Amino acid sequence: MSDYVTIFDASKYISLLDNTARKSGLLFRMGENFEEYADITDRIVGKARTDPNFRPDCSQLDAGRAFWIVGEDRAGKVAHVQALRVDDLTATNLARHLESLKAFYANPKSLAGSGSSCICRAPTAQRITRKVAYHGDIWLREDFRGQGLPRTFAGIAFGLAWVKWSPDFIYALVPTWSVEKGVADQYGYLHGEANGAILSLPDRGIEEDDWLIWLTRGELSRLIKVTVAKTLEPSAFRHTPSRRS
């Protein structure tokens, strides 16, 4: 099967996953206004505070370079959030991007607090370059867990990222417990390495040692292609001769 993906393939892929989520009672909307997103996420009980990556007072989140997805239940209450941004790492790589703190702050020298640091020991991060999308701030309300929804909402994020940016890589940073309990696997990423971001942001109370998980553009294209192909009825390929009078 060819890895070539059209906008129609990606649209079908997103639609299929959106329909799956709707059957579970989760209705998605998306936006690019991160002032609005920060307001939404700051009011969610039980969710960790959104990191600087997706806070407009810390990062440059221009329209077209970042977007968020909010899932609401049938009563209109927030049940899920996630966000994505794209960075041009053509002149650098992900390891240097993380360690410079530019993954977290538009201007680390003026915005990062005293003692802030990040160490990346994941070997592959040095080979992740060019157009790179970051997928993070993922949260799902407890009553929606255990239904297989992580692969669904992550897939929608992947599809939208492909449509908007067609990134060379898409990655996430997840805690060790998420990997050990198999939660990270549910998102659909194919690769993972420990010590992707040993992050210390003392002024924000952040002390983390996260895994780096990622997909390449080719792998994302195959995921979209295979998923869409599985939904096609065999009859769609059958030729029915026309009758002549």
Side-chain angles (χ1 to χ4, degrees), residues 26-234:
L26 195 60
L27 309 175
F28 293 118
R29 61 186 178 94
M30 63 177 292
E32 295 185 336
N33 182 335
F34 277 83
E35 295 283 355
E36 179 184 358
Y37 183 71
D39 182 60
I40 291 169
T41 59
D42 285 348
R43 289 186 282 111
I44 295 175
V45 177
K47 178 192 175 298
R49 194 166 189 262
T50 296
D51 285 346
N53 318 59
F54 295 115
R55 303 196 73 87
D57 57 334
C58 299
S59 291
Q60 190 171 349
L61 301 165
D62 299 334
R65 293 186 60 246
F67 67 92
W68 48 261
I69 299 171
V70 169
E72 298 173 339
D73 61 22
R74 291 189 176 97
K77 295 182 179 180
V78 175
H80 163 69
V81 297
Q82 59 181 325
L84 294 95
R85 56 182 278 180
V86 68
D87 293 293
D88 182 2
L89 304 186
T90 302
T92 183
N93 61 49
L94 181 58
R96 291 202 294 268
H97 184 60
L98 291 167
E99 292 186 339
S100 70
L101 296 179
K102 290 181 180 178
F104 311 97
Y105 297 99
N107 187 340
K109 288 184 178 180
S110 62
L111 295 172
S114 176
S116 296
S117 67
C118 182
I119 299 171
C120 176
R121 292 179 178 155
T124 303
Q126 297 183 26
R127 300 195 296 274
I128 294 178
T129 185
R130 299 187 296 277
K131 191 186 297 183
V132 180
Y134 171 62
H135 177 210
D137 207 41
I138 302 167
W139 175 81
L140 182 65
R141 205 170 67 199
E142 190 171 358
D143 54 318
F144 279 89
R145 297 172 191 171
Q147 302 178 46
L149 283 169
R151 191 171 295 269
T152 299
F153 65 66
I156 289 175
F158 293 163
L160 289 170
W162 189 96
V163 170
K164 285 177 168 288
W165 307 315
S166 188
D168 294 287
F169 296 90
I170 186 165
Y171 78 99
L173 298 170
V174 297
T176 299
W177 69 260
S178 179
V179 174
E180 292 176 343
K181 293 186 176 181
V183 176
D185 288 341
Q186 296 178 41
Y187 299 143
Y189 287 94
L190 297 179
H191 312 282
E193 291 176 352
N195 307 132
I198 305 171
L199 180 64
S200 178
L201 303 178
D203 62 321
R204 295 181 176 269
I206 295 174
E207 298 290 337
E208 300 174 354
D209 185 353
D210 291 334
W211 277 61
L212 167 66
I213 56 177
W214 75 92
L215 278 173
T216 67
R217 178 167 54 193
E219 289 163 345
L220 177 53
S221 296
R222 285 192 289 276
L223 174 63
I224 292 171
K225 199 78 172 178
V226 168
T227 303
V228 171
K230 285 181 179 179
T231 67
L232 297 177
E233 294 291 338

